[in-house]
Amino acid sequence: MADLAVYAGLFLTAFVAATILPMQSEAALAGLILLKSQPVWLLVAVASAGNVAGSFVNWLLGRGIEGFRHKRWFPVGEAALQRSQNWYRRYGRWSLLLSWAPLIGDPLTVAAGIMKEPLPVFLLLVTIAKVGRYVLLALVTLNFL
């Protein structure tokens, strides 16, 4: 039961970290890897799944944003949305390979929704980016790099 709580906590942390809410999942993953209580591959898989799921929420938010983007309570400013849309127009779907990056990754996933990026392409590129980042983090944490 304790393992389930660990995995659920990691999934939730990675999920929230991928949304527009501020949170860091890398520290949680690195800490769990260092504890050596769970298989590293499973921790990476759970963190990746949570992070991709959070990005999917951003994509959905982007798809439905037109009705909400001018509301006072909307958490992302017009300027930030415009920057991410401009970036997305300039670099296209391949910019989603930067969806792991701090500051620009989350707005890019929202922009992909606004720009109506097809879901299968979105999920493929975001999954490559998110899994790649967590695999690299695991390798660094384990001193393989």
Side-chain angles (χ1 to χ4, degrees):
M1 191 62 140
D3 283 345
L4 182 59
V6 167
Y7 295 127
L10 180 59
F11 181 92
L12 185 61
T13 300
F15 177 89
V16 172
T19 66
I20 55 176
L21 300 173
M23 185 175 272
Q24 293 296 318
S25 59
E26 294 85 0
L29 178 60
L32 289 170
I33 289 170
L34 290 173
L35 287 175
K36 300 181 180 182
S37 299
Q38 286 84 20
V40 173
W41 70 268
L42 190 51
L43 292 171
V44 168
V46 168
S48 298
N51 218 234
V52 170
S55 293
F56 172 65
V57 168
N58 289 347
W59 181 86
L60 286 173
L61 191 95
R63 291 299 300 247
I65 206 168
E66 291 306 315
F68 302 107
R69 72 191 302 172
H70 299 293
K71 303 282 186 188
R72 286 180 80 190
W73 53 263
F74 193 71
V76 179
E78 187 67 31
L81 279 174
Q82 192 60 50
R83 274 192 309 274
S84 65
Q85 281 181 277
N86 290 342
W87 177 283
Y88 202 82
R89 276 189 198 98
R90 183 171 183 186
Y91 298 105
R93 64 177 42 138
W94 299 109
S95 65
L96 289 171
L97 292 173
L98 294 174
S99 62
W100 63 268
L103 302 176
I104 64 167
D106 299 340
L108 280 174
T109 58
V110 174
I114 293 169
M115 305 302 283
K116 297 179 177 33
E117 185 65 53
L119 183 58
V121 172
F122 173 83
L123 289 175
L124 175 65
L125 293 173
V126 168
T127 299
I128 290 169
K130 304 289 187 161
V131 170
R133 182 245 336 247
Y134 285 132
V135 166
L136 184 61
L137 177 65
L139 291 172
V140 168
T141 302
L142 295 169
N143 291 317
F144 288 128
L145 291 180

